[in-house]
């Protein structure tokens, strides 16, 4: 028999447990017919099974004191792959009662289930296997096909409504043990299904009545508190009303006193106004007499002001013209200075060129003197060479003449020698011919 891979067996067992847990949770939730809370046993077992699935093949992280295995690392990675998961990750980090990474991971799973996004979050995680390899071994459930199957099964949990209180629950110290008794059926369980449904309905009614009673009690207590607060506020308002009445009486007395003082002040003011009116009329008459002289002074001052303004305007215009001329002169001076500098630079350059030309002329003159001396020597050498050439030519003519004479003599000797040779040949030919006959 072939030996099976232990990790493959573990993956298959976890997959089967996940199937049973999810199926049982969905069936029980639909038969239960209400929102699930944290105390619901199938829901608790579902979280335990999911915790075991996420822990399978998890790499061990070394610390100073011990070795640590935590599923919070890969779950924390989801917020980088799925932006909508940032909210629950931030909520988990802000929970005050969580001290361990495992507790944060359990809280994350509960919040993801309440959002109905657990399948989407884990799907985005298993797609990135290169990132998961930092947290899981190559044979882990989340790295194999079983992880994709479990993510597909989690989609069915979207039909469940869960209302879980994460803030006050102790998630750090919970022991994750799978209760297999929930998934084992017997004949008594099958026969008592209808009775369980009736009991569940009665429990639902009982819970509804208790909840309604609790809400009514809270409403009554709030109404009692409001009545007490209204009585206290009424007593306080009565006290404030009495104080306000006393204040009104005091204000009326002060008003009567102020009115009498106002009448006395009014009489004094009228008398003072009559005296002041006489003084004002006298001052007005004096002002009318002095106003004519002031008008004449004002007209004269106004005329002088106009003349001064016109003069100032002319001076300002002339000043502007002078300023513009100054600017133009400065600009012309700058241009003239620039032109002078350029001409000075040009003159310096020309002087340098003139010095160079003088030096070149002196050098050429010296070379010319040297070349003339050399020319004279060469002319003498040429004349000597011409004399030698004439001598050589005459010698060559003499040699040619002697060569011609020698050639003539050589031809004569050759002709005679040829004739002798031919005669000797004919003589021998005759001898041979005679001998042959």
């Amino acid at each position: 028999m072939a030996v099976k891979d232990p990790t493959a067996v573990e993956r298959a067992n976890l997959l089967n447990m996940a199937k049973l847990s999810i199926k049982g949770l969905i069936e029980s939730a639909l038969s239960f017919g209400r929102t699930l809370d944290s105390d619901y046993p199938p829901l608790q077992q579902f979280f335990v099974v999911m915790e075991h699935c996420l822990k399978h093949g998890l790499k061990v992280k070394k610390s100073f004191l011990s070795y640590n295995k935590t599923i919070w690392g890969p779950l924390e990675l989801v917020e980088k792959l799925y932006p909508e998961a940032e909210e629950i990750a931030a909520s988990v980090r802000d929970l005050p009662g969580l001290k361990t990474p495992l507790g944060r991971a359990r809280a994350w799973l509960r919040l993801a289930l309440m959002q109905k996004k657990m399948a989407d979050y884990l799907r985005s995680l298993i797609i990135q296997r290169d990132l998961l390899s930092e947290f899981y071994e190559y044979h882990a459930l989340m790295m194999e096909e079983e992880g994709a199957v479990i993510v597909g099964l989690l989609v069915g949990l979207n039909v469940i409504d869960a209302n879980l209180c994460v803030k006050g629950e102790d998630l750090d110290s919970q022991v994750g043990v799978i209760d297999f008794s929930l998934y084992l059926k017997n004949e008594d369980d099958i026969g008592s299904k209808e009775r369980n449904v009736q009991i569940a309905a009665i429990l639902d009614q009982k819970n509804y009545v208790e909840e309604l009673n609790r809400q009514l009690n809270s409403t009554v207590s709030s109404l009692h508190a409001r009545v007490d607060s209204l009585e206290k506020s009424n007593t306080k308002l009565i006290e404030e009303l009495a104080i306000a009445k006393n204040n009104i009486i005091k204000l009326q007395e002060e008003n009567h006193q102020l009115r009498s003082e106002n009448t006395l002040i009014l009489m004094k003011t009228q008398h003072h106004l009559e005296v002041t009116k006489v003084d004002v009329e006298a001052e007005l008459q004096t002002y009318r007499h002095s106003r004519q002289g002031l008008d004449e002074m004002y007209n004269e001052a106004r005329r002088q002001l106009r003349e001064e303004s016109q003069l100032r305007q002319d001076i300002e215009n002339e000043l502007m013209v002078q300023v513009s001329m100054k600017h133009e002169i400065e600009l012309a001076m700058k241009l003239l200075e620039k032109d002078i500098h350029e001409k000075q630079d040009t003159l310096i350059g020309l002087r340098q060129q003139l010095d160079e030309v003088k030096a070149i002329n002196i050098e050429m003159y010296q070379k010319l003197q040297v070349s003339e001396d050399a020319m004279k020597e060469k002319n003498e050498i040429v004349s000597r060479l011409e004399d030698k050439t004439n001598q050589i030519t005459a010698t060559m003519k003499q040699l040619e003449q002697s060569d011609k004479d020698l050639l003539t003599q050589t031809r004569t000797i050759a002709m005679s020698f040829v004739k002798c040779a031919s005669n000797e040949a004919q003589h021998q030919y005759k001898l041979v011919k005679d001998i042959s006959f």
Side-chain angles (χ1 to χ4, degrees):
M1 294 178 64
V3 179
K4 293 184 178 180
D5 186 7
T7 57
V9 175
E10 292 175 0
R11 291 198 302 269
N13 292 335
L14 288 172
L15 177 61
N16 293 328
M17 286 304 304
K19 289 180 180 179
L20 291 174
S21 176
I22 294 171
K23 181 179 179 182
L25 179 60
I26 294 173
E27 290 178 353
S28 61
L30 293 177
S31 62
F32 205 41
R34 65 176 184 178
T35 303
L36 305 180
D37 53 9
S38 301
D39 297 331
Y40 192 56
L43 185 60
Q44 293 178 352
Q45 287 298 307
F46 165 72
F47 287 125
V48 172
V49 173
M50 284 303 301
E51 185 178 334
H52 280 279
C53 292
L54 291 172
K55 281 184 178 180
H56 183 261
L58 194 65
K59 290 183 179 180
V60 178
K61 288 188 176 182
K62 295 182 180 180
S63 61
F64 290 105
L65 300 177
S66 62
Y67 293 93
N68 185 20
K69 271 189 176 183
T70 176
I71 60 174
W72 174 238
L75 295 181
E76 193 176 13
L77 185 63
V78 175
E79 63 177 327
K80 299 179 181 178
L81 305 175
Y82 204 94
E84 295 182 6
E86 294 179 357
E87 183 180 354
I88 64 170
S91 300
V92 169
R93 294 190 190 97
D94 294 338
L95 286 175
L98 299 178
K99 299 179 181 178
T100 62
L102 183 58
R104 295 190 190 96
R106 290 169 175 171
W108 189 93
L109 290 174
R110 283 157 176 77
L111 292 176
L113 181 64
M114 284 193 289
Q115 283 188 343
K116 298 184 180 180
K117 290 291 186 68
M118 184 184 292
D120 297 333
Y121 294 158
L122 295 181
R123 184 186 299 111
S124 65
L125 186 62
I126 64 172
I127 292 173
Q128 303 293 333
R129 303 211 171 182
D130 53 344
L131 298 177
L132 274 181
S133 61
E134 297 179 3
F135 301 96
Y136 289 100
E137 301 289 346
Y138 69 94
H139 56 77
L141 184 139
M142 296 296 291
M143 300 288 289
E144 297 292 339
E145 295 180 357
E146 288 83 353
V149 175
I150 291 175
V151 170
L153 294 174
L154 291 175
V155 178
L157 296 179
N158 294 338
V159 300
I160 298 175
D161 294 327
N163 186 11
L164 308 177
C165 183
V166 182
K167 188 174 182 180
E169 192 172 357
D170 184 14
L171 299 175
D172 293 327
S173 60
Q174 287 184 358
V175 179
V177 179
I178 300 176
D179 187 6
F180 293 98
S181 62
L182 295 174
Y183 311 107
L184 300 176
K185 295 184 178 180
N186 52 28
E187 296 179 356
D188 295 335
D189 293 334
I190 297 172
S192 61
K193 186 175 181 180
E194 296 180 357
R195 183 166 54 84
N196 291 333
V197 172
Q198 294 176 358
I199 292 172
I202 294 171
L203 290 174
D204 288 338
Q205 294 176 0
K206 176 178 174 294
N207 292 328
Y208 173 74
V209 172
E210 289 178 352
E211 182 68 21
L212 183 62
N213 190 16
R214 186 179 63 79
Q215 292 180 359
L216 290 174
N217 289 331
S218 62
T219 305
V220 169
S221 61
S222 63
L223 290 174
H224 281 302
R226 289 182 64 185
V227 168
D228 293 337
S229 63
L230 289 173
E231 288 179 353
K232 291 179 181 179
S233 61
N234 191 15
T235 304
K236 187 176 181 180
L237 289 173
I238 292 171
E239 293 176 355
E240 291 178 355
L241 181 61
I243 295 170
K245 286 181 178 180
N246 294 329
N247 292 332
I248 289 170
I249 294 170
K250 291 180 181 180
L251 290 173
Q252 287 177 354
E253 293 176 355
E254 291 178 359
N255 190 13
H256 181 68
Q257 184 178 357
L258 290 173
R259 282 182 179 180
S260 61
E261 291 178 357
N262 191 15
T263 305
L264 181 61
I265 292 170
L266 183 60
M267 291 173 66
K268 291 180 179 180
T269 304
Q270 287 178 353
H271 178 69
H272 183 68
L273 284 174
E274 290 176 357
V275 175
T276 306
K277 187 176 181 181
V278 174
D279 296 337
V280 168
E281 287 178 357
E283 290 179 357
L284 183 61
Q285 190 69 25
T286 305
Y287 172 71
R288 285 175 182 174
H289 289 297
S290 62
R291 183 174 180 181
Q292 186 176 0
L294 292 173
D295 289 338
E296 292 177 357
M297 291 175 64
Y298 173 73
N299 292 328
E300 182 67 20
R302 187 173 182 182
R303 184 182 61 79
Q304 292 179 359
L305 179 62
R306 288 178 180 175
E307 292 177 356
E308 293 291 337
S309 298
Q310 185 65 31
L311 181 61
R312 182 180 178 182
Q313 186 68 31
D314 295 338
I315 292 171
E316 288 180 353
N317 292 332
E318 186 177 357
L319 180 62
M320 290 176 67
V321 172
Q322 293 293 332
V323 170
S324 62
M325 290 177 65
K326 184 180 178 181
H327 286 309
E328 290 177 357
I329 291 170
E330 290 178 354
L331 182 60
M333 289 295 292
K334 289 180 180 179
L335 293 174
L336 184 59
E337 289 177 357
K338 184 178 180 182
D339 191 11
I340 290 170
H341 289 306
E342 290 178 354
K343 288 181 178 179
Q344 286 179 352
D345 295 336
T346 306
L347 184 59
I348 291 169
L350 291 174
R351 285 178 179 174
Q352 292 177 355
Q353 292 179 4
L354 182 59
D355 294 336
E356 292 176 358
V357 170
K358 286 181 178 179
I360 292 169
N361 287 333
I362 292 169
E363 186 178 355
M364 292 296 293
Y365 179 75
Q366 292 175 356
K367 289 182 178 179
L368 181 61
Q369 293 293 328
V370 173
S371 63
E372 287 179 355
D373 296 336
M375 195 70 174
K376 288 179 180 180
E377 293 179 357
K378 288 179 181 179
N379 288 329
E380 293 177 356
I381 294 169
V382 168
S383 61
R384 292 175 184 174
L385 290 173
E386 285 179 352
D387 294 337
K388 288 183 180 181
T389 304
N390 292 328
Q391 293 176 2
I392 292 168
T393 304
T395 306
M396 286 179 69
K397 287 181 179 180
Q398 292 176 0
L399 291 173
E400 287 178 356
Q401 186 65 35
S402 61
D403 288 338
K404 287 180 180 179
D405 295 338
L406 182 61
L407 181 62
T408 304
Q409 294 176 2
T410 304
R411 285 180 179 176
T412 305
I413 294 169
M415 289 297 291
S416 60
F417 181 76
V418 170
K419 287 180 180 180
C420 291
S422 60
N423 293 326
E424 183 70 23
Q426 288 178 358
H427 180 67
Q428 289 180 2
Y429 178 73
K430 287 179 179 181
L431 291 175
V432 170
K433 188 175 181 182
D434 292 337
I435 292 170
S436 64
F437 284 118

